Amino acid sequence: MFNKDRFLEFALSKFTKFGSKRFTLDDLAHELGISKKTIYENFKGKEEIIQESLVALLNKLRYQINECVEKEKSDPIRAVIAIYRIGLDTFKSFSPTFLRSLKKYYPNVYRLFNDFRENDVSVLVKDLLLNGQGKGQIRKDVDIDLTYELYYNRMEYIVQAENKNFYEQFTPEELLNHIIINNLRGIATKEYLNKNDSIFLL
């Protein structure tokens, strides 16, 4: 019996590893031991498969992010760290070509990812940083919008640059420390650092 959820999860794992264009439906059918006819009985084509598999991933990420924010609701800085830990753990399975090929060949699907980043993650992280500033965790002289644009926006482009995949040299935790945690240490108030120094120890 065809299991759609498992199919989409497997398909996405292959698209993110090999690229959305390079990995074909023939490859997918072969690896799953099913016919292409079965695939076309459930989907209109490759773009629909990529879209539905990505939507499933984004919904999973939304759930995980909402959970960690709820868990750390009293401490916005810890919530920001948790969000980016989820992101880095997710992106480690993405080949550097995945998002580029998605943007080039399936712009409508790429727009879903971009909207998630811009309308879900960006808004949430900036709100958390502002909240942290209001709670006295982040210094008052810090421009939150500028800080976000410089250090937190488009993180996936930094760690998966076209000519250098940082995941090949560093663990997600090392990247988290150097991209996110070190910056948060720099903008946090002395009072917050004195009480929460353990989260900033590398």
Side-chain angles (χ1 to χ4, degrees):
M1 183 178 177
F2 185 81
N3 186 311
K4 187 175 182 180
D5 291 337
R6 289 180 184 175
F7 174 86
L8 290 172
E9 185 176 356
F10 181 83
L12 186 64
S13 72
K14 295 300 179 181
F15 292 137
T16 56
K17 182 177 181 179
F18 298 109
S20 56
K21 188 69 174 178
R22 181 179 166 196
F23 195 77
T24 67
L25 292 188
D26 285 320
D27 295 329
L28 190 56
H30 174 73
E31 292 214 15
L32 286 170
I34 61 176
S35 67
K36 281 181 70 176
K37 180 182 177 182
T38 300
I39 294 176
Y40 281 109
E41 285 173 350
N42 291 273
F43 302 95
K44 295 176 182 177
K46 187 177 181 181
E47 183 168 357
E48 185 179 20
I49 295 170
I50 295 172
Q51 178 171 320
E52 288 200 27
S53 63
L54 185 62
V55 166
L57 173 67
L58 296 182
N59 287 337
K60 179 181 177 182
L61 288 176
R62 283 188 186 95
Y63 177 80
Q64 292 176 334
I65 287 170
N66 289 335
E67 254 196 336
C68 78
V69 170
E70 178 62 25
K71 181 181 177 182
E72 304 290 357
K73 60 185 176 183
S74 64
D75 192 332
I77 285 181
R78 287 180 185 269
V80 170
I81 292 171
I83 289 170
Y84 283 96
R85 180 174 281 115
I86 291 170
L88 284 163
D89 283 341
T90 300
F91 289 130
K92 69 183 178 184
S93 64
F94 284 31
S95 74
T97 61
F98 173 65
L99 291 176
R100 291 196 297 274
S101 65
L102 203 64
K103 186 176 183 179
K104 182 176 181 179
Y105 299 110
Y106 305 102
N108 290 332
V109 181
Y110 178 80
R111 197 170 296 117
L112 293 173
F113 174 82
N114 198 52
D115 287 347
F116 168 75
R117 189 187 66 201
E118 294 295 331
N119 300 326
D120 289 64
V121 179
S122 292
V123 171
L124 177 58
V125 170
K126 281 195 276 189
D127 284 348
L128 286 168
L129 293 172
L130 285 167
N131 190 13
Q133 196 171 48
K135 287 176 175 286
Q137 298 176 353
I138 294 174
R139 299 195 324 268
K140 294 294 184 184
D141 63 313
V142 173
D143 185 317
I144 296 299
D145 285 332
L146 178 59
T147 299
Y148 179 81
E149 292 299 322
L150 290 174
Y151 293 99
Y152 303 100
N153 196 21
R154 302 176 185 269
M155 183 180 65
E156 71 278 8
Y157 293 143
I158 297 172
V159 297
Q160 293 193 320
E162 188 168 350
N163 60 348
K164 188 173 188 179
N165 183 356
F166 284 88
Y167 282 109
E168 293 177 352
Q169 300 178 54
F170 306 102
T171 67
E173 200 66 23
E174 287 174 320
L175 293 171
L176 180 73
N177 283 332
H178 286 79
I179 299 173
I180 303 300
I181 294 178
N182 280 344
N183 175 260
L184 287 170
R185 181 196 282 123
I187 66 175
T189 60
K190 290 181 179 179
E191 292 78 11
Y192 182 82
L193 290 172
N194 289 337
K195 294 177 182 177
N196 300 274
D197 61 322
S198 62
I199 66 171
F200 296 104
L201 296 177
L202 300 182

